[in-house]
Amino acid sequence: MTAQADPATPVSRRWSALDTAAGGLALDLGLYAAATVFAAITAATSTLPPHRAWGAVATIGYALATLAATTQLLARRRDPGTPLAGLPARWTVAGLTWAATALLPIVTQSVERAGGRTDRAQEEVIVVEHAGARLAEHGTPYLGPDAIAALPPGEQLLGYTPYQPGMALFGLPRAAVDAWWTDSRVWFAVVTALTLVALVATLRASGGPGAPRRDAAVLRAVQAATVLPVCALTLATGGDDLPVLALCLLALALAAAGRPGRAGLAVGAAGALKLFAWPVAVVLICWAATRRSATRTALGAIGLPVLALVPVLLVDRDALVENVLRFPLGHGLVTSPAQSPFPGHLIAETLPAGRAVAAALLVAAGLAIAVRLLRRPPRTAASTAIICGYGLLAAILLMPSTRFGYLLYPAALLVLAPALALTRPDDRAAFPATAPRDPAGRRTPEG
């Protein structure tokens, strides 16, 4: 997944060969075909009604995309230069596939939910909308421990809001108007789409001889964040992770373009929504330090989450701690339902003192990454994305309570790395006025 970021490694060369086979169409076909099977299995076997409903619609969308990719491959064999197999055509297929497998299911399920179907949204949709209503009414999206304890046992889980305060903003439309278009998933999709448009524009703004390869790598990165089944399913049924992911990807794109201040604002906005963005912010600040821009990056990366926390901290500190710290750490009144059978969960459930063992392994992994950052901080946006991708993958696998859907973070981050490696930074933004100069007075790269 890091082929063009580091072409010297065997893994990178193999990925590059796979990614570019038949002008990228071979991997397109494999992605859409595998996604069709995944969606069909989900529709037939999932125990979650929103997932089954998504699978029924997405199977058709992925099948049509598979047919389109097959047609493109056949057209390319007859005429390698045909526009039907070119990059714009591949972008069109990807966009239509996302519309059919994510946006259409969102609209369908939102309309059905507004019509009275109570099984057309996952719990996180309801949680975010309740948080928006509480924010509008009380100034904090969180219920305190006493208020949660007073709820009926079957409703206590929905009383928790294990997100950062900014996530409640997506629930404000439903607090104002009860309609299908105020479903929080609709606004998750809007913010995700706008953020990805900004990402594409940022990466494609740089020129240079590697532009065609970079543009193809950008398409692959966007596919990983949109039509990859784990992303489309998550957006259509829950959705809260996709704006966070898109903002993290945009932050890395801005870093590749040499805009550390804007990168800090983007990852800070993600961090104001969910904790998953905070490790990305830390690695980005380490990258910025190698360019003498750590302060500019940290102002947004740390400042925005802090600004989001201060008001709710002043309103009800104990409610914030209960929702954002105690519950995710397993010390709330109820247990998180995130129980995917990854190593950390299996260790916690099967070994004596398993939770302590899993926690120790997670801390050890974090310390190993911290040592790596201190000894060899990332000097490019591509290496930053790789560290973030593998670091989050390790965390997801080792956390005692986690979800399969969280794998969308490392998958998208790692697939983005080649596009970042092929992006040429804007020298005026990349090298500040304090950058060292050569004897001729020209600015030189920092590290």
Side-chain angles (χ1 to χ4, degrees):
M1 291 184 179
T2 61
Q4 295 151 357
D6 184 7
T9 66
V11 172
S12 298
R13 288 195 296 268
R14 286 195 293 270
W15 166 255
S16 181
L18 175 64
D19 185 32
T20 58
L25 289 170
L27 191 54
D28 285 354
L29 177 58
L31 168 63
Y32 298 139
T36 304
V37 175
F38 178 90
I41 292 174
T42 300
T45 66
S46 178
T47 59
L48 301 174
H51 287 211
R52 289 201 306 272
W54 170 82
V57 176
T59 299
I60 299 173
Y62 284 129
L64 292 174
T66 302
L67 178 61
T70 302
T71 302
Q72 289 177 301
L73 266 174
L74 294 175
R76 187 178 186 275
R77 285 186 178 181
R78 289 194 300 268
D79 179 11
T82 178
L84 186 61
L87 193 59
R90 292 177 59 206
W91 271 105
T92 300
V93 172
L96 292 175
T97 303
W98 193 50
T101 62
L103 303 184
L104 178 59
I106 287 174
V107 173
T108 301
Q109 295 197 29
S110 298
V111 170
E112 291 178 349
R113 182 182 175 217
R117 291 290 299 267
T118 59
D119 61 348
R120 284 297 179 263
Q122 289 188 175
E123 290 86 353
E124 51 262 44
V125 176
I126 301 169
V127 167
V128 169
E129 291 173 357
H130 286 176
R134 287 193 291 268
L135 178 64
E137 186 174 353
H138 304 294
T140 177
Y142 306 116
L143 286 176
D146 292 340
I148 296 174
L151 294 173
E155 298 178 15
Q156 288 181 348
L157 178 61
L158 294 179
Y160 278 99
T161 304
Y163 309 117
Q164 297 303 289
M167 189 67 75
L169 297 177
F170 291 98
L172 289 178
R174 177 54 64 93
V177 180
D178 188 2
W180 74 266
W181 54 269
T182 61
D183 190 296
S184 60
R185 288 170 292 184
V186 173
W187 297 99
F188 290 144
V190 169
V191 172
T192 298
L194 293 176
T195 305
L196 290 177
V197 168
L199 178 147
V200 173
T202 299
L203 293 180
R204 296 185 66 179
S206 66
R213 291 172 57 217
R214 182 210 57 220
D215 291 347
V218 172
L219 170 59
R220 190 67 73 208
V222 171
Q223 286 177 320
T226 55
V227 298
L228 195 70
V230 68
C231 293
L233 170 62
T234 299
L235 183 60
T237 60
D240 58 280
D241 285 295
L242 269 299
V244 180
L245 172 65
L247 285 166
C248 289
L249 298 180
L250 175 60
L252 290 164
L254 290 166
R259 293 175 171 83
R262 296 182 187 181
L265 290 173
V267 78
L273 300 178
K274 204 164 187 179
L275 283 171
F276 256 99
W278 289 23
V280 179
V282 170
V283 182
L284 261 176
I285 292 172
C286 292
W287 162 82
T290 68
R291 309 184 75 79
R292 300 183 183 178
S293 301
T295 301
R296 277 195 291 163
T297 303
L299 282 175
I302 299 175
L304 285 181
V306 169
L307 285 176
L309 285 169
V310 168
V312 298
L313 187 64
L314 295 176
V315 172
D316 192 338
R317 179 185 64 83
D318 201 28
L320 173 67
V321 173
E322 177 71 19
N323 286 263
V324 176
L325 294 179
R326 295 189 190 124
F327 178 73
L329 292 175
H331 298 295
L333 299 176
V334 293
T335 304
S336 170
Q339 306 291 337
S340 294
F342 290 141
H345 175 69
L346 296 176
I347 290 171
E349 294 297 317
T350 59
L351 295 182
R355 295 193 72 87
V357 173
L361 291 173
L362 186 60
V363 170
L367 289 175
I369 294 172
V371 170
R372 162 67 167 79
L373 290 174
L374 290 173
R375 296 184 61 184
R376 294 174 52 203
R379 295 183 176 274
T380 66
S383 60
T384 302
I386 293 169
I387 292 173
C388 292
Y390 284 121
L392 285 176
L393 178 61
I396 291 165
L397 294 179
L398 293 175
M399 285 191 299
S401 297
T402 187
R403 293 181 186 272
F404 172 78
Y406 291 157
L407 290 175
L408 61 88
Y409 286 96
L413 287 165
L414 292 172
V415 175
L416 179 67
L420 300 178
L422 293 167
T423 300
R424 187 176 64 184
D426 181 345
D427 289 343
R428 293 171 297 178
F431 307 131
T434 57
R437 297 172 181 266
D438 63 15
R442 295 172 297 192
R443 290 174 186 164
T444 59
E446 303 171 26

